[in-house]
């Protein structure tokens, strides 16, 4: 069996200007990064913004398991399938971080015969967007510490600095550090630390901005610290926003690549899906909707995290209305939710499948709360039996949802034509998209709504510190921001060990953080790692480049 990188390296890519022309773009609209990558000029938007919008399709999934669900693969395969059946489709994905690429997960460009290419470039430095995010973030951190060193005219309390530094690698040794050691000329000593770049508020702001000037305004609002009097100190106070925006002038332009079947793909932005909102940029999505009949995008992790945030945060800021949702599941993953160990998932177990299917049904219910039609994509494996497939189809159809078998990993777009037709039909259904909560509600009410309605919790508990900080945010004028829940991706609850559809539990919010620039309040439930570490055998040990220039070991 060929690896993903072997399949990708055998692909015959079209020159990227040819992909651009298929979308009605001219050579002047593209800024080339070699033969197969390009950025779109932001001038394109002024020409296309009044065109009719295509259909917006969101791909999400059941709660993730070690068995894998194939959400990105399904997104790519569906885009390819829509083009095969005569529609103009574009897919939009997040950019992979170097941390996971060299850590445990590996690449993030789809799999099998449903990949975006050139996958080696996309999984490595790509067009430098994440480096720009890293530099803009660390510039602000440097200006903050320099301001304190140079006399602290803003009266910043060093004990209330909330802005750390970032790098785009997994490095546990930098999670908690002391800076400013060495003497008077080396800064003011204080505790700090590093997060991974994709957890940066700069990244979240990039993906929620509608243009460069909007991004600069978001940078101005970033709260980096508080004064001794308890007042917030922003990037605007430090006069940093202009320089930060300059560093992002190219990064805000969407990246254009292609799939194995030459379907156009925007790969742009990559915020964490638990500490942030986990979706590609609004700029790329809005452009794609004007350039195609269908824009297929995805949201990170399961529907309780990615889809909820896409609806409540991304759609608010981007003025977006999804036309259909694809909910990805596998029989293997559902049996894992039902209690079957990973090494036994190939064995038939209808009882466990029945228990695990409750997770799928709950995620369908969650999507229904937003008023959007859903199609279940059942990612087929060779070990799936007809009885297991018929059971899933019957359960879903009893709730009014269509189910399509997806074979895009093995067959590419041809294996997704059934899914494409059912998605097209769903997108034509009358629907009335709605948000889960009103922004005027108190922050605690918004958090409770998400926890009870989406997770199925009985209630929410708060640590004393979290409760006081929420009250403080409201007093400072941030009470009408949406909430961004940060919790484990492995359970509907805040306990990763509770699989399937947990019941009779409460969520505990232990900490809250303000992302005033991005435009949301983060509520952390459980333990969320913003700087991952490398595993015992990191993927980096297997990755190499040969004398011929061939890359090996990358996914």
């Amino acid at each position: 069996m060929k690896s993903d990188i072997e399949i990708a390296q055998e692909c015959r890519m079209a020159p990227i200007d040819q992909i651009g022309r298929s979308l009605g773009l001219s050579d002047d609209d593209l800024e080339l990064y070699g033969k197969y990558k390009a950025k779109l000029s932001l001038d394109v938007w002024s020409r296309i913004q009044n065109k009719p919008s295509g259909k917006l399709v969101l791909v999400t999934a059941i709660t993730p398991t070690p068995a894998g669900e194939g959400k990105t693969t399904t997104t790519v395969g569906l885009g390819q399938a829509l083009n095969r059946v005569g529609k103009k489709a574009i897919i939009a994905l997040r950019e992979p971080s170097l941390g996971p690429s060299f850590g445990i997960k590996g690449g993030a460009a789809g799999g099998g015969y449903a990949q975006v290419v050139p996958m080696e470039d996309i999984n490595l430095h790509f067009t430098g967007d994440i480096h720009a995010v890293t530099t803009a973030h660390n510039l602000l951190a440097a200006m903050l510490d320099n301001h304190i060193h140079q006399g602290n005219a803003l009266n910043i309390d060093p004990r209330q600095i909330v802005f750390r530094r970032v790098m785009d690698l997994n490095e546990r040794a930098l999670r908690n550090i002391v800076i400013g050691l060495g003497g008077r000329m080396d800064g003011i000593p204080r505790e700090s630390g590093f997060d991974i770049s994709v957890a940066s508020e700069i990244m979240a702001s990039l993906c929620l901005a509608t243009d460069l000037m909007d991004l600069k305004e978001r940078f101005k609002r970033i709260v980096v610290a508080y004064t001794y009097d308890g007042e917030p100190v922003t990037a605007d106070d430090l006069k940093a926003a202009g320089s930060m925006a300059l560093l992002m002038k190219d990064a805000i332009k969407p990246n254009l690549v292609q799939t194995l079947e030459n379907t156009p793909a925007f790969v742009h932005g990559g915020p964490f899906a638990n500490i942030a909102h986990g979706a590609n940029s609004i700029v790329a999505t809005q452009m794609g909707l004007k350039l195609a009949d269908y824009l297929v995008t995805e949201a990170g992790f399961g529907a309780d995290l990615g889809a909820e945030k896409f609806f409540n945060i991304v759609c608010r800021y981007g003025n977006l209305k999804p036309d259909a949702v694809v909910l990805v599941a596998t029989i293997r993953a559902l049996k894992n939710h039902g209690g079957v160990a990973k090494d036994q998932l190939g064995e038939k177990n209808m009882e466990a499948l029945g228990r695990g299917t409750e997770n799928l049904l709950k995620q369908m219910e969650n999507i229904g709360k937003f008023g959007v039609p859903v199609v279940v994509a059942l990612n087929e494996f060779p070990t799936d039996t007809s009885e297991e497939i018929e059971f899933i189809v019957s359960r879903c159809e009893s709730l009014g949802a269509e189910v399509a078998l997806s074979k895009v990993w093995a067959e590419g777009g041809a294996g997704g034509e059934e899914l494409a037709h059912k998605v097209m039909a769903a997108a034509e259904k009358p629907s009335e998209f709605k948000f889960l909560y009103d922004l005027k509600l108190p922050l605690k009410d918004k958090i409770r709504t998400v926890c009870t309605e989406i997770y199925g919790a009985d209630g929410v508990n708060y640590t004393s510190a979290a409760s006081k900080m929420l009250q403080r945010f409201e007093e400072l004028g941030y009470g009408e921001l949406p909430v961004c829940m940060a919790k484990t991706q492995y359970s509907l609850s805040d306990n990763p060990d509770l699989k399937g559809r947990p019941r009779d539990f409460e969520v505990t919010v232990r900490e809250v953080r303000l992302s005033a620039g991005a435009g949301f309040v983060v509520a952390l439930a459980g333990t969320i790692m913003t700087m991952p570490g490398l595993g015992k055998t990191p993927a980096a040990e297997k990755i190499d480049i040969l004398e011929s220039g061939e890359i090996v070991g990358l996914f």
Side-chain angles (χ1 to χ4, degrees):
M1 183 181 297
K2 294 178 181 177
S3 66
D4 288 348
I5 193 169
E6 289 173 333
I7 293 171
Q9 288 170 342
E10 291 176 357
C11 162
R12 295 190 63 181
M13 289 183 283
I16 200 63
D17 55 350
Q18 182 177 321
I19 301 296
R21 284 193 291 274
S22 74
L23 298 175
L25 300 172
S26 70
D27 291 349
D28 289 338
D29 294 328
L30 301 178
E31 299 175 9
L32 302 185
Y33 281 65
K35 286 174 147 183
Y36 305 113
K37 300 173 291 184
K39 280 188 169 290
L40 265 66
S41 167
L42 296 183
D43 293 338
V44 172
W45 180 245
S46 61
R47 193 176 75 246
I48 65 174
Q49 60 181 321
N50 294 322
K51 293 179 61 176
S53 294
K55 300 289 187 180
L56 176 58
V57 179
L58 175 69
V59 179
T60 186
I62 62 171
T63 301
T65 70
E69 292 68 49
K71 178 157 49 67
T72 303
T73 300
T74 302
T75 303
V76 177
L78 174 58
Q80 293 180 155
L82 285 165
N83 277 307
R84 282 181 62 90
V85 300
K87 300 296 181 181
K88 181 187 286 188
I90 299 174
I91 65 170
L93 303 173
R94 288 178 294 162
E95 299 180 45
S97 164
L98 288 177
S101 291
F102 291 126
I104 297 174
K105 182 181 176 183
Y113 289 89
Q115 296 185 57
V116 284
V117 286
M119 71 91 81
E120 304 99 310
D121 292 359
I122 293 167
N123 281 310
L124 297 175
H125 299 284
F126 200 22
T127 58
D129 294 346
I130 298 181
H131 296 303
V133 167
T134 303
T135 305
H137 181 113
N138 290 336
L139 171 63
L140 178 55
M143 292 180 72
L144 168 62
D145 281 301
N146 182 63
H147 178 89
I148 297 172
H149 175 75
Q150 300 293 352
N152 198 6
L154 292 172
N155 199 33
I156 295 169
D157 182 353
R159 297 165 301 180
Q160 294 192 75
I161 292 174
V162 294
F163 200 75
R164 292 151 57 93
R165 286 165 169 78
V166 297
M167 64 184 294
D168 193 35
L169 288 172
N170 294 359
E171 176 56 289
R172 64 169 54 83
L174 294 178
R175 287 173 187 159
N176 299 287
I177 62 174
V178 176
I179 63 174
L181 300 178
R184 289 183 59 191
M185 299 305 295
D186 297 315
I188 307 298
R190 65 178 181 87
E191 292 186 30
S192 187
F194 275 77
D195 298 322
I196 194 166
S197 297
V198 288
S200 166
E201 188 176 351
I202 310 302
M203 176 63 84
S205 299
L206 167 67
C207 290
L208 290 172
T210 53
D211 56 38
L212 183 59
M213 291 301 102
D214 180 32
L215 181 60
K216 183 164 70 173
E217 289 302 312
R218 290 175 181 274
F219 286 169
K220 289 180 180 179
R221 298 194 294 266
I222 293 174
V223 174
V224 297
Y226 295 88
T227 67
Y228 285 103
D229 299 322
E231 294 299 313
V233 178
T234 66
D236 194 33
D237 294 327
L238 292 168
K239 300 180 176 59
S243 294
M244 294 167 64
L246 174 61
L247 289 169
M248 300 296 292
K249 70 178 181 64
D250 294 317
I252 196 171
K253 300 170 184 175
N255 303 302
L256 177 64
V257 287
Q258 62 191 290
T259 73
L260 294 175
E261 298 179 12
N262 310 124
T263 295
F266 290 148
V267 180
H268 191 221
F272 251 28
N274 39 24
I275 200 71
H277 62 282
N280 67 278
S281 74
I282 285 176
V283 173
T285 297
Q286 289 180 331
M287 282 195 180
L289 285 169
K290 299 297 184 180
L291 293 170
D293 301 324
Y294 290 86
L295 188 282
V296 184
T297 188
E298 70 170 17
F301 297 135
D304 55 305
L305 280 172
E308 181 270 312
K309 295 175 187 180
F310 186 86
F311 296 144
N312 280 322
I313 298 175
V314 179
C315 290
R316 287 186 199 271
Y317 287 123
N319 193 27
L320 301 172
K321 176 189 171 297
D323 295 285
V325 174
V326 175
L327 181 59
V328 181
T330 67
I331 286 172
R332 290 166 53 85
L334 293 173
K335 284 190 286 192
N336 187 253
H337 272 295
V340 177
K342 185 178 179 181
D343 59 356
Q344 297 176 334
L345 294 176
E347 301 173 11
K348 182 179 173 181
N349 189 327
M350 297 303 296
E351 184 178 345
L353 181 61
R355 291 193 300 269
T357 300
E358 290 300 312
N359 184 275
L360 170 61
L361 301 181
K362 173 57 177 166
Q363 299 287 28
M364 289 171 54
E365 177 187 311
N366 289 341
I367 295 166
K369 293 177 186 292
F370 297 92
V372 186
V374 61
V375 177
V376 175
L378 195 58
N379 230 343
E380 193 171 32
F381 278 74
T383 55
D384 297 346
T385 68
S386 58
E387 183 180 358
E388 290 171 325
I389 293 172
E390 289 169 7
F391 175 81
I392 300 299
V393 171
S394 176
R395 291 296 303 274
C396 293
E397 290 182 345
S398 69
L399 296 178
E402 291 282 347
V403 182
L405 290 182
S406 176
K407 304 178 182 179
V408 297
W409 185 88
E411 301 176 12
E417 290 189 14
E418 178 191 1
L419 176 61
H421 284 295
K422 290 189 174 181
V423 167
M424 290 160 55
E428 295 299 329
K429 290 181 180 179
S431 63
E432 190 170 336
F433 173 65
K434 56 190 176 183
F435 301 120
L436 189 67
Y437 52 76
D438 191 311
L439 290 181
K440 294 187 181 298
L441 287 173
L443 290 170
K444 280 191 174 181
D445 287 357
K446 285 180 274 197
I447 292 169
R448 179 181 176 83
T449 299
V450 174
C451 292
T452 56
E453 294 288 322
I454 302 299
Y455 307 157
D458 295 330
V460 184
N461 300 311
Y462 297 88
T463 63
S464 176
S467 190
K468 289 178 181 177
M469 192 58 74
L470 285 171
Q471 182 179 348
R472 186 180 185 187
F473 290 163
E474 290 182 338
E475 291 170 350
L476 290 171
Y478 300 112
E480 293 192 6
L481 292 177
V483 294
C484 182
M485 298 299 299
K487 72 171 185 70
T488 178
Q489 65 267 35
Y490 297 117
S491 173
L492 281 162
S493 73
D494 56 352
N495 180 352
D497 295 328
L498 297 181
K499 304 298 185 183
R501 181 176 184 168
R503 301 180 190 274
D504 303 319
F505 69 93
E506 294 185 339
V507 170
T508 298
V509 175
R510 62 176 182 82
E511 181 185 350
V512 291
R513 300 177 185 175
L514 177 63
S515 292
F520 49 71
V521 171
V522 181
L524 292 95
T527 302
I528 300 299
M529 195 69 66
T530 55
M531 171 52 87
L534 293 172
K536 188 173 182 179
T537 308
E541 293 184 5
K542 303 174 184 177
I543 297 172
D544 200 358
I545 184 167
L546 306 182
E547 186 177 358
S548 63
E550 180 184 353
I551 295 171
V552 295
L554 186 65
F555 211 46

